[in-house]
Amino acid sequence: NAGVTQTPKFRVLKTGQSMTLLCAQDMNHEYMYWYRQDPGMGLRLIHYSVGEGTTAKGEVPDGYNVSRLKKQNFLLGLESAAPSQTSVYFCASSYRSDFSYTFGSGTRLTVV
Amino acid sequence: AQKVTQAQTEISVVEKEDVTLDCVYETRDTTYYLFWYKQPPSGELVFLIRRNSFDEQNEISGRYSWNFQKSTSSFNFTITASQVVDSAVYFCALSEGTSGTYKYIFGTGTRLKVLA
């Protein structure tokens, strides 16, 4: 089925460890986004990309890096994980930035 | 600055009751888009509706209806004859563009519990 696939679905990290979350979409969408969801705060934009090879900062970019080397993939990296990065991470994509988003199923990350 | 307020943190209703979820937004742009998404207990976010700022017509889709009023900056969502399967967190979002790229601002969500 067409859509957005996130891996992994769950992960536990120790403080200071690094990891990469992978987002893949097969809808040929130009725009891709990474959000984090925390209780009582809705979804907040971390980074986004308007096309292959481009990235831009969102509302809460500190502590994260991203790359979009291929149009279908958008990677989110944590170089040195902190407990404050414990969250549920969602990737999304869209054909145009003013269109609806298709979301992945989320990654639940716990940093201990 | 753009902002979306969903003042209702949690609502509980009994099955078959009607329920309205409120969404109030702030924006300086004349062109913007409003959305509603549903997040059921399984966790994924599902798109429900998109409305542009120039179209104030109300919309009905089955048991769902949306009331967009620019005069009060509101985009409320009503579920008629609620069902247990409607239990979810519902997010309202505003998308406005600067430099041609639109970005969403989400509200904090309203958790709807429909009791059998």
Side-chain angles (χ1 to χ4, degrees), chain A residues 31 33 35 37 40-43 45 48 50 57 59 90 96-101 103-105, chain B residues 33 35 37 39 42-47 50 91 95 100-109:
Chain A
Y31 295 83
Y33 315 85
Y35 284 87
Q37 182 179 20
M41 302 190 74
L43 288 94
L45 182 63
Y48 65 99
V50 302
K57 293 181 180 179
E59 182 185 355
F90 285 97
R96 278 174 28 178
S97 62
D98 56 339
F99 278 20
S100 63
Y101 291 0
F103 283 87
S105 57
Chain B
Y33 299 85
F35 301 81
Y37 286 82
Q39 186 177 39
S42 54
E44 76 277 16
L45 286 127
V46 178
F47 165 73
R50 170 182 182 264
F91 290 97
S95 175
T101 298
Y102 287 76
K103 295 192 291 292
Y104 282 21
I105 289 291
F106 283 89
T108 52

Side-chain angles (χ1 to χ4, degrees), chain A residues 64-78:
Chain A
Y64 306 96
N65 57 76
V66 288
S67 64
R68 182 108 179 261
L69 298 180
K70 294 183 179 181
K71 186 176 183 179
Q72 63 267 35
N73 295 336
F74 194 29
L75 279 64
L76 177 70
L78 286 73

Side-chain angles (χ1 to χ4, degrees), chain B residues 46-86:
Chain B
V46 178
F47 165 73
L48 295 177
I49 189 171
R50 170 182 182 264
R51 178 53 51 89
N52 74 57
S53 54
F54 299 106
D55 182 3
E56 285 194 72
Q57 285 190 358
N58 291 336
E59 180 153 342
I60 299 174
S61 176
R63 296 184 297 105
Y64 294 173
S65 62
W66 290 269
N67 182 6
F68 176 30
Q69 290 194 335
K70 289 179 75 171
S71 61
T72 56
S73 296
S74 65
F75 187 43
N76 296 337
F77 174 29
T78 297
I79 301 175
T80 302
S82 60
Q83 300 177 0
V84 172
V85 294
D86 296 326

